[in-house]
Amino acid sequence: MLETLRERVYRPELLVAPLVVFELAFFVVPLIMLVRVSLLEQTTSGAYVAGTLTLANYQEVLFSSHFQDILFFSFKFAILVTTIATVLSVFFAYAIWRADGILKNALLFIVVVTLLTTLVVRLFSILIILSPNGPLNQLLVAIKVLRQPVLLVTNLFGATVGQVYTIFPYTVLSIYSVLSILDWAKVEAARDLGATELVSFREIVLPQITSGILVGAVISFAWSFGAYAAPFLLGSTRQDTAAMEVYRLMVTRFNWPLATALSFVVLLVVLASVSLLFFVSDDNLGDAYGT
């Protein structure tokens, strides 16, 4: 009797039941409600026409040149940010891995503090640094790289810097988590056999951390394709992302059906891209998660 009671208490499905309930209540159900809103007809007298059913909103998102330009720019922006953030994160994570003592702790502290700092504070700090009167412009003028300050914000450069800075801690930690379990003796063995530092990194280290790189790239792409804060605060009004357009449709134009339709197209693009990456690199990603 006691053994039966213990089996019931420690049944795995009971342990995950709270998580399942939470996901259903706060993710699945709201998602279904939003799908329903995206299938409602638009109206100028309110948010939507209740009780209607139409695919016109998805047709407008998919076939309108306006939305095609927005989605295409969002995709290019995500690819650009992902490439830059991944490359920088590989070298920064490698530096943390090879550092010792205070330096190692300091580098990790930089990543963690950046991660814990409020997003708005981080982006406004970038806005100040990149402004015409900011320290970066002053430094470039002082060392004669520029004759006069230039505008580094309210353009694609500013939005890219802000978004890279936003997702940089996540990509660094995903790569460092794999590097931290890598055996340095393998690199030393390669160097003993005549490999240079660059060759040993390319042939030994890089293949071993591919899983972490892929995980970081997935995080970076997913967050950048749906980015709002960095493009809004640091980017150009002529280069809207999908998230900025969703906000405009939802809040300014009060067009909920079209806004939710665009949101789900963005969600589907992200899921399709991530699924493709998982499918192509299934073995490497499985190693990252220990499966």
Side-chain angles (χ1 to χ4, degrees), residues 202-223:
R202 186 182 69 242
E203 299 296 333
I204 304 299
V205 177
L206 202 57
Q208 298 293 320
I209 64 172
T210 303
S211 55
I213 294 174
L214 291 174
V215 172
V218 166
I219 296 173
S220 178
F221 180 84
W223 283 28

Side-chain angles (χ1 to χ4, degrees), residues 75-119:
F75 187 82
K76 291 190 299 181
F77 180 71
I79 293 295
L80 176 63
V81 171
T82 299
T83 302
I84 296 174
T86 302
V87 172
L88 293 178
S89 297
V90 168
F91 289 103
F92 198 90
Y94 184 82
I96 297 176
W97 182 51
R98 295 301 306 137
D100 292 315
I102 297 177
L103 179 59
K104 186 185 191 74
N105 293 333
L107 293 175
L108 282 171
F109 180 76
I110 291 173
V111 175
V112 174
V113 167
T114 303
L115 182 64
L116 298 179
T117 305
T118 304
L119 177 60

Side-chain angles (χ1 to χ4, degrees), residues 9-169:
V9 171
Y10 293 107
R11 289 175 63 183
E13 55 267 27
L14 294 179
L15 297 176
V16 301
L19 179 60
V20 172
V21 172
F22 180 86
E23 290 291 334
L24 289 174
F26 295 100
F27 181 74
V28 176
V29 173
L31 197 63
I32 294 174
M33 295 173 64
L34 288 177
V35 171
R36 182 66 185 98
V37 172
S38 70
L39 296 174
L40 297 174
E41 292 182 359
Q42 305 174 27
T43 178
T44 57
S45 59
Y48 51 80
V49 180
T52 57
L53 184 65
T54 179
L55 293 175
N57 301 310
Y58 287 96
Q59 292 175 347
E60 183 173 352
V61 169
L62 294 175
F63 300 108
S64 167
S65 59
H66 172 68
F67 289 108
Q68 288 177 352
D69 291 341
I70 290 175
L71 291 172
F72 185 57
F73 172 75
S74 299
F75 187 82
K76 291 190 299 181
F77 180 71
I79 293 295
L80 176 63
V81 171
T82 299
T83 302
I84 296 174
T86 302
V87 172
L88 293 178
S89 297
V90 168
F91 289 103
F92 198 90
Y94 184 82
I96 297 176
W97 182 51
R98 295 301 306 137
D100 292 315
I102 297 177
L103 179 59
K104 186 185 191 74
N105 293 333
L107 293 175
L108 282 171
F109 180 76
I110 291 173
V111 175
V112 174
V113 167
T114 303
L115 182 64
L116 298 179
T117 305
T118 304
L119 177 60
V120 175
V121 174
R122 279 188 280 165
L123 292 179
F124 271 112
S125 68
I126 293 295
L127 181 62
I128 294 174
I129 292 172
L130 298 182
S131 65
N133 296 324
L136 180 59
N137 264 299
Q138 293 179 0
L139 174 63
L140 294 177
V141 171
I143 62 177
K144 308 301 183 181
V145 174
L146 297 176
R147 292 184 178 180
Q148 59 183 9
V150 297
L151 190 63
L152 299 176
V153 290
T154 66
N155 49 36
L156 180 60
F157 178 81
T160 302
V161 171
Q163 187 60 26
V164 168
Y165 186 46
T166 299
I167 53 90
F168 185 71

Side-chain angles (χ1 to χ4, degrees), residues 5 12 23 43 71 83-84 133 175 213 232 240 248 285 287 291:
L5 181 60
E23 290 291 334
T43 178
L71 291 172
T83 302
I84 296 174
N133 296 324
I175 296 171
I213 294 174
F232 178 76
D240 289 344
R248 186 178 298 111
L285 288 172
D287 293 340
T291 58

